């Protein structure tokens, strides 16, 4: 639990990266949010057996990381934490979908393996894009942009609270896990039964901590809305950025670039 909480707390670095000074950092948050949402819609709209058509979409998160001067190793490490969930979702596909759809030499790939690879690839692309967006913009600015784009204020507020309380829960969980380790001498008291008590105490501690935070916010004048940043006017650079990536995503969605190039050499990519 300590390693998980450390990984969650390390997400705070995403907000610190948002204070960069590159061209992408200075763009309006709404343009970056809309471009990322359009990218995600295009990626998830492909057929479950599509793989080659998804590969060119890697250009969008790569552009954000390179031009935004983001630490690629750090972001990919965060993406690696999410991939096990995608693997858990698609791991049963090869056992139920055994129809052979692709043969490369003696290697036969069934529909289950293709759909499994497609799920993992889509997850990697979309999560990398979302982490890059958060690192370039900051999560509070992303929530503010979503609200200005039409998201109901309670939803945006709940999203922001969920992000903030994730760190509170991780911090309380780390303290509870550390206390449990200190009370266990050797292996005594380290069984599964102790986890039930630990989870119960964790919920109570988190509840009380949330109440204290809420009272502190009320004491500081919180009225159900966070202070809005200074509203910026949409500039030509914002529109150019949005237009460029929306056009490119549409082009990549309608044309299988990697499949066409691969067909010139092998004619066997799916």
């Amino acid at each position: 639990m300590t390693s998980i909480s450390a990984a969650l707390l390390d997400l705070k670095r995403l907000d610190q990266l948002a204070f960069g000074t590159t061209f992408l950092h200075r763009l309006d948050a709404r343009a970056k949010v809309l471009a990322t949402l359009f990218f995600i819609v295009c990626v998830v709209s492909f057929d479950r057996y599509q793989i080659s058509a998804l590969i060119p979409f890697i250009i969008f998160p790569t552009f954000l990381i390179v031009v935004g001067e983001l630490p690629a190793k750090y972001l990919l490490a965060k993406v690696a934490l999410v991939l096990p969930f995608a693997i858990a979702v698609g791991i049963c596909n090869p056992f139920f979908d055994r129809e052979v759809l692709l043969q490369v030499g003696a290697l036969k790939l069934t529909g289950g393996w293709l759909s499994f690879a497609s799920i993992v690839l889509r997850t990697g692309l979309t999560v990398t894009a979302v982490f890059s967006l958060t690192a370039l913009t900051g999560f509070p600015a992303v929530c503010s942009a979503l609200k200005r784009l039409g998201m109901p204020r309670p939803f945006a507020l709940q999203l922001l609270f969920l992000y903030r309380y994730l760190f509170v829960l991780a911090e309380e969980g780390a303290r509870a896990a550390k206390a449990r380790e200190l009370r266990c001498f050797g292996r005594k008291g380290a069984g599964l039964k102790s986890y039930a008590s630990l989870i119960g105490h964790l919920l109570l501690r988190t509840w009380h901590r949330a109440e204290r935070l809420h009272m502190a916010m009320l004491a500081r004048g919180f009225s159900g809305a966070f202070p809005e940043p200074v509203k910026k006017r949409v500039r030509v650079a914002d529109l150019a950025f949005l237009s460029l990536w929306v056009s490119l995503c549409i082009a990549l969605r309608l044309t299988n670039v990697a499949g066409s190039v691969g067909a010139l050499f092998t004619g066997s990519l799916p």
Side-chain angles (χ1 to χ4, degrees):
M1 182 175 287
T2 304
S3 60
I4 294 176
S5 64
L8 289 174
L9 292 175
D10 196 34
L11 286 174
K12 288 181 178 179
R13 189 181 173 190
L14 288 176
D15 289 331
Q16 297 171 353
L17 291 172
F19 292 100
T21 57
T22 66
F23 159 73
L24 290 178
H25 285 91
R26 292 192 297 270
L27 287 177
D28 191 286
R30 289 170 293 179
K32 289 181 281 187
V33 169
L34 283 176
T36 305
L37 289 176
F38 200 84
F39 167 82
I40 293 174
V41 170
C42 288
V43 168
V44 301
S45 65
F46 279 98
D47 181 77
R48 59 178 175 171
Y49 298 131
Q50 286 284 353
I51 295 178
S52 61
L54 290 170
I55 295 175
F57 280 90
I58 197 174
I59 189 174
F60 179 66
T62 302
F63 175 82
L64 296 182
I65 292 173
V66 173
V67 179
E69 299 178 358
L70 301 176
K73 185 177 179 181
Y74 166 76
L75 291 177
L76 293 179
K78 300 301 121 188
V79 175
L81 292 175
V82 181
L83 285 183
F85 296 99
I87 293 174
V89 170
I91 193 61
C92 293
N93 289 13
F95 300 101
F96 294 102
D97 188 355
R98 298 186 177 184
E99 181 182 0
V100 177
L101 298 181
L102 175 65
Q103 183 169 356
V104 181
L107 179 63
K108 297 180 180 179
L109 292 178
T110 63
W113 282 112
L114 292 178
S115 61
F116 171 69
S118 180
I119 290 173
V120 175
L121 183 56
R122 291 177 207 213
T123 304
L125 288 172
T126 54
V127 173
T128 305
V130 170
F131 278 140
S132 301
L133 168 68
T134 307
L136 289 170
T137 312
F139 198 79
V142 171
C143 293
S144 177
L146 288 172
K147 188 170 73 66
R148 295 177 67 184
L149 290 171
M151 174 182 281
R153 189 172 63 86
F155 287 173
L157 201 60
Q158 288 298 322
L159 196 60
L160 188 58
F161 275 132
L162 177 65
Y163 180 72
R164 291 304 181 192
Y165 278 104
L166 187 65
F167 300 113
V168 176
L169 179 63
E171 185 179 346
E172 292 295 340
R175 289 179 180 175
K178 188 65 177 178
R180 174 179 170 274
E181 292 175 2
L182 293 175
R183 290 189 180 95
C184 296
F185 298 96
R187 304 179 71 85
K188 183 179 179 182
L192 293 177
K193 292 182 179 178
S194 63
Y195 278 100
S197 175
L198 186 146
I199 292 174
H201 284 289
L202 177 61
L203 291 176
L204 289 175
R205 288 170 63 90
T206 307
W207 185 3
H208 293 157
R209 177 77 178 274
E211 283 187 342
R212 293 198 299 271
L213 287 174
H214 181 63
M215 295 300 293
M217 292 169 64
L218 293 178
R220 288 171 171 81
F222 178 70
S223 60
F226 288 101
E228 290 287 341
V230 178
K231 295 183 179 179
K232 299 180 181 178
R233 297 184 63 181
V234 178
R235 301 169 301 167
V236 176
D238 304 321
L239 295 176
F241 172 83
L242 180 60
S243 303
L244 170 65
W245 286 109
V246 168
S247 303
L248 188 57
C249 286
I250 292 176
L252 293 177
R253 180 62 184 84
L254 299 178
T255 307
N256 188 347
V257 178
S260 301
V261 174
L264 292 176
F265 297 95
T266 63
S268 57
L269 286 176

